Amino acid sequence: LIPIGAAFIVSIALIPLFVSRYLILTVPSLYLFIGWIFSTYPKTLRRVLTILLIFSMLAGLAVEAYSPSAPVKEDYRAATAYLNANTEAQDIIIVSAPFTVYPIEYYYQGPAEIATLPIWNRFIVGPIPAFNEATLPQQVATLKDSHQKAYLVLSYDQGYQEKIRIYMDTHLERLYHQTFSPGLDVYVYKLRYDPQVLH
Protein backbone atom coordinates (compact mmCIF):
# COMPACT_ATOMS: atom_id res chain seq x y z
CA LEU A 1 0.00 0.00 0.00
CA ILE A 2 2.90 2.39 0.68
CA PRO A 3 4.20 2.64 -2.94
CA ILE A 4 0.68 3.12 -4.29
CA GLY A 5 -0.15 5.74 -1.67
CA ALA A 6 3.14 7.56 -2.22
CA ALA A 7 2.64 7.63 -6.01
CA PHE A 8 -0.90 8.93 -5.53
CA ILE A 9 0.27 11.73 -3.21
CA VAL A 10 3.09 12.74 -5.57
CA SER A 11 0.60 12.76 -8.48
CA ILE A 12 -1.68 15.18 -6.67
CA ALA A 13 0.98 17.37 -5.02
CA LEU A 14 3.80 17.57 -7.58
CA ILE A 15 3.54 15.93 -11.01
CA PRO A 16 1.25 13.29 -12.56
CA LEU A 17 2.91 9.99 -11.69
CA PHE A 18 0.03 7.59 -11.10
CA VAL A 19 0.58 5.50 -14.23
CA SER A 20 0.06 1.74 -14.12
CA ARG A 21 3.48 0.85 -15.52
CA TYR A 22 5.18 2.55 -12.55
CA LEU A 23 3.27 0.37 -10.11
CA ILE A 24 3.41 -3.00 -11.89
CA LEU A 25 5.96 -4.38 -9.42
CA THR A 26 3.70 -3.63 -6.44
CA VAL A 27 0.70 -5.59 -7.76
CA PRO A 28 1.80 -9.11 -6.66
CA SER A 29 2.54 -7.95 -3.12
CA LEU A 30 -0.77 -6.06 -3.05
CA TYR A 31 -2.68 -9.24 -3.97
CA LEU A 32 -0.74 -11.23 -1.36
CA PHE A 33 -1.62 -8.61 1.24
CA ILE A 34 -5.32 -8.71 0.30
CA GLY A 35 -5.23 -12.54 0.39
CA TRP A 36 -3.69 -12.45 3.86
CA ILE A 37 -6.42 -10.08 5.05
CA PHE A 38 -9.09 -12.45 3.64
CA SER A 39 -7.51 -15.37 5.52
CA THR A 40 -8.42 -13.70 8.82
CA TYR A 41 -12.15 -13.61 7.95
CA PRO A 42 -14.69 -16.35 8.70
CA LYS A 43 -14.71 -19.22 6.17
CA THR A 44 -17.90 -18.26 4.28
CA LEU A 45 -17.00 -14.58 3.97
CA ARG A 46 -13.43 -15.51 2.99
CA ARG A 47 -14.67 -17.68 0.10
CA VAL A 48 -17.06 -15.02 -1.19
CA LEU A 49 -14.39 -12.31 -1.07
CA THR A 50 -11.78 -14.60 -2.70
CA ILE A 51 -14.18 -15.38 -5.56
CA LEU A 52 -14.94 -11.66 -5.97
CA LEU A 53 -11.20 -10.85 -5.98
CA ILE A 54 -10.44 -13.51 -8.62
CA PHE A 55 -13.38 -12.34 -10.73
CA SER A 56 -12.18 -8.71 -10.45
CA MET A 57 -8.66 -9.72 -11.50
CA LEU A 58 -9.97 -11.62 -14.54
CA ALA A 59 -12.33 -8.76 -15.46
CA GLY A 60 -9.44 -6.27 -15.25
CA LEU A 61 -7.32 -8.52 -17.46
CA ALA A 62 -10.15 -8.76 -20.02
CA VAL A 63 -10.61 -4.97 -20.06
CA GLU A 64 -6.87 -4.47 -20.55
CA ALA A 65 -6.74 -7.02 -23.36
CA TYR A 66 -9.85 -6.00 -25.32
CA SER A 67 -10.66 -2.39 -24.47
CA PRO A 68 -10.31 -0.02 -27.46
CA SER A 69 -8.88 2.59 -25.08
CA ALA A 70 -6.03 0.28 -24.02
CA PRO A 71 -2.70 1.03 -25.69
CA VAL A 72 -2.00 -1.04 -28.80
CA LYS A 73 1.20 -3.03 -28.97
CA GLU A 74 3.64 -1.44 -31.38
CA ASP A 75 4.63 -3.71 -34.27
CA TYR A 76 8.40 -3.19 -34.12
CA ARG A 77 8.99 -6.49 -35.88
CA ALA A 78 7.15 -5.36 -39.04
CA ALA A 79 8.74 -1.89 -38.96
CA THR A 80 12.21 -3.38 -38.60
CA ALA A 81 11.52 -5.92 -41.35
CA TYR A 82 10.86 -2.92 -43.62
CA LEU A 83 14.13 -1.32 -42.46
CA ASN A 84 16.05 -4.57 -43.03
CA ALA A 85 14.72 -4.80 -46.58
CA ASN A 86 15.27 -1.17 -47.59
CA THR A 87 18.19 0.43 -45.77
CA GLU A 88 21.72 0.54 -47.12
CA ALA A 89 25.10 1.26 -45.52
CA GLN A 90 25.02 4.96 -46.49
CA ASP A 91 21.61 5.47 -44.80
CA ILE A 92 20.79 6.28 -41.17
CA ILE A 93 17.92 5.15 -38.96
CA ILE A 94 16.79 7.88 -36.54
CA VAL A 95 14.66 6.64 -33.64
CA SER A 96 12.43 8.77 -31.41
CA ALA A 97 11.60 8.44 -28.53
CA PRO A 98 15.22 7.53 -27.76
CA PHE A 99 14.44 4.56 -25.48
CA THR A 100 12.66 2.80 -28.37
CA VAL A 101 16.08 2.18 -29.91
CA TYR A 102 16.18 -1.12 -28.00
CA PRO A 103 13.36 -2.97 -29.82
CA ILE A 104 14.68 -1.59 -33.13
CA GLU A 105 18.18 -2.89 -32.40
CA TYR A 106 16.76 -6.22 -31.28
CA TYR A 107 15.20 -6.93 -34.70
CA TYR A 108 17.41 -4.88 -37.03
CA GLN A 109 20.07 -6.80 -38.98
CA GLY A 110 20.85 -4.26 -41.72
CA PRO A 111 23.98 -2.19 -42.41
CA ALA A 112 22.66 1.32 -41.63
CA GLU A 113 23.74 3.28 -38.57
CA ILE A 114 21.12 3.67 -35.81
CA ALA A 115 20.85 6.96 -33.89
CA THR A 116 18.29 8.64 -31.65
CA LEU A 117 16.63 12.04 -31.62
CA PRO A 118 17.26 13.76 -29.24
CA ILE A 119 20.81 12.44 -29.66
CA TRP A 120 21.57 10.08 -26.78
CA ASN A 121 24.93 8.49 -26.03
CA ARG A 122 23.87 5.36 -24.17
CA PHE A 123 27.44 4.54 -23.20
CA ILE A 124 27.71 7.56 -20.91
CA VAL A 125 26.10 7.33 -17.48
CA GLY A 126 23.15 9.68 -17.12
CA PRO A 127 19.56 10.25 -18.18
CA ILE A 128 18.19 10.52 -21.70
CA PRO A 129 18.63 14.14 -22.85
CA ALA A 130 15.47 16.25 -22.87
CA PHE A 131 14.10 17.41 -26.20
CA ASN A 132 15.06 21.00 -27.03
CA GLU A 133 13.43 22.52 -30.10
CA ALA A 134 16.15 25.18 -30.32
CA THR A 135 18.88 22.56 -30.84
CA LEU A 136 16.80 20.41 -33.23
CA PRO A 137 18.33 21.90 -36.44
CA GLN A 138 21.86 21.30 -35.17
CA GLN A 139 21.07 17.75 -34.07
CA VAL A 140 19.47 16.91 -37.43
CA ALA A 141 22.51 18.39 -39.22
CA THR A 142 24.78 16.21 -37.05
CA LEU A 143 22.78 13.09 -37.87
CA LYS A 144 22.68 13.93 -41.60
CA ASP A 145 26.47 13.88 -41.81
CA SER A 146 27.29 12.11 -45.09
CA HIS A 147 24.25 9.83 -45.18
CA GLN A 148 22.08 9.39 -48.26
CA LYS A 149 18.64 8.76 -46.71
CA ALA A 150 17.16 9.02 -43.22
CA TYR A 151 14.61 6.51 -41.93
CA LEU A 152 12.81 8.30 -39.11
CA VAL A 153 11.05 5.88 -36.73
CA LEU A 154 8.51 7.62 -34.47
CA SER A 155 6.84 5.77 -31.60
CA TYR A 156 5.90 6.28 -27.95
CA ASP A 157 5.22 9.98 -28.44
CA GLN A 158 6.75 11.98 -25.59
CA GLY A 159 5.06 15.21 -26.70
CA TYR A 160 7.57 16.36 -29.32
CA GLN A 161 7.26 13.91 -32.22
CA GLU A 162 5.05 16.22 -34.25
CA LYS A 163 7.71 18.95 -33.97
CA ILE A 164 10.35 16.54 -35.27
CA ARG A 165 8.13 15.40 -38.14
CA ILE A 166 7.21 18.97 -39.14
CA TYR A 167 10.86 20.05 -39.06
CA MET A 168 11.91 17.10 -41.22
CA ASP A 169 9.01 17.66 -43.65
CA THR A 170 9.82 21.35 -44.06
CA HIS A 171 13.59 20.98 -44.42
CA LEU A 172 14.00 17.69 -46.28
CA GLU A 173 12.29 15.85 -49.10
CA ARG A 174 10.02 13.12 -47.81
CA LEU A 175 10.20 10.01 -49.99
CA TYR A 176 7.90 7.62 -48.14
CA HIS A 177 5.71 7.13 -45.07
CA GLN A 178 4.14 4.03 -43.56
CA THR A 179 2.23 3.38 -40.34
CA PHE A 180 3.00 -0.08 -38.97
CA SER A 181 0.70 0.12 -35.94
CA PRO A 182 -1.09 2.97 -34.17
CA GLY A 183 1.65 5.27 -32.90
CA LEU A 184 4.48 3.60 -34.85
CA ASP A 185 5.42 5.36 -38.10
CA VAL A 186 8.42 5.23 -40.41
CA TYR A 187 9.25 8.26 -42.58
CA VAL A 188 11.95 8.22 -45.25
CA TYR A 189 13.77 11.43 -46.19
CA LYS A 190 16.36 12.30 -48.83
CA LEU A 191 19.43 13.78 -47.15
CA ARG A 192 21.92 14.27 -49.96
CA TYR A 193 21.87 14.83 -53.69
CA ASP A 194 25.12 13.71 -55.22
CA PRO A 195 26.02 15.46 -58.47
CA GLN A 196 25.89 13.14 -61.44
CA VAL A 197 29.27 12.20 -62.81
CA LEU A 198 29.56 13.07 -66.50
CA HIS A 199 31.42 10.63 -68.75
Side-chain angles (χ1 to χ4, degrees):
L1 295 176
I2 291 172
I4 294 172
F8 184 73
I9 291 169
V10 169
S11 294
I12 291 175
L14 299 174
I15 58 169
L17 183 67
F18 205 81
V19 180
S20 59
R21 66 176 176 267
Y22 298 142
L23 303 172
I24 192 96
L25 295 176
T26 66
V27 171
S29 53
L30 178 64
Y31 286 140
L32 286 173
F33 180 69
I34 292 171
W36 173 78
I37 290 175
F38 288 173
S39 70
T40 63
Y41 292 169
K43 188 175 182 181
T44 307
L45 180 59
R46 179 174 65 226
R47 285 183 178 170
V48 170
L49 291 175
T50 302
I51 290 170
L52 285 174
L53 178 63
I54 291 171
F55 177 77
S56 300
M57 291 166 61
L58 292 174
L61 179 63
V63 167
E64 186 66 26
Y66 299 108
S67 171
S69 63
V72 178
K73 181 179 178 183
E74 285 80 5
D75 194 357
Y76 287 105
R77 184 177 301 208
T80 311
Y82 169 79
L83 297 174
N84 281 326
N86 292 281
T87 55
E88 297 179 3
Q90 65 268 25
D91 300 332
I92 185 169
I93 298 169
I94 302 172
V95 181
S96 188
F99 58 83
T100 60
V101 71
Y102 295 113
I104 298 295
E105 284 184 335
Y106 181 79
Y107 292 113
Y108 183 67
Q109 302 296 323
E113 176 188 347
I114 300 176
T116 65
L117 193 60
I119 296 174
W120 174 36
N121 186 346
R122 292 172 288 152
F123 305 106
I124 295 176
V125 176
I128 296 174
F131 174 77
N132 183 347
E133 193 171 2
T135 63
L136 180 60
Q138 182 181 352
Q139 290 198 2
V140 171
T142 301
L143 294 174
K144 281 172 62 176
D145 193 23
S146 59
H147 297 102
Q148 193 75 32
K149 288 187 285 188
Y151 290 77
L152 177 65
V153 182
L154 298 179
S155 64
Y156 269 95
D157 188 6
Q158 302 297 294
Y160 51 77
Q161 283 189 355
E162 190 64 10
K163 293 177 182 177
I164 293 174
R165 186 197 61 76
I166 290 171
Y167 179 84
M168 298 289 273
D169 280 352
T170 56
H171 291 82
L172 301 169
E173 178 188 354
R174 187 202 289 184
L175 303 175
Y176 183 74
H177 166 243
Q178 184 172 343
T179 300
F180 289 91
S181 61
L184 173 56
D185 295 271
V186 174
Y187 298 85
V188 183
Y189 295 95
K190 189 79 171 173
L191 297 180
R192 191 179 58 183
Y193 295 89
D194 293 329
Q196 294 184 352
V197 177
L198 300 175
H199 296 286

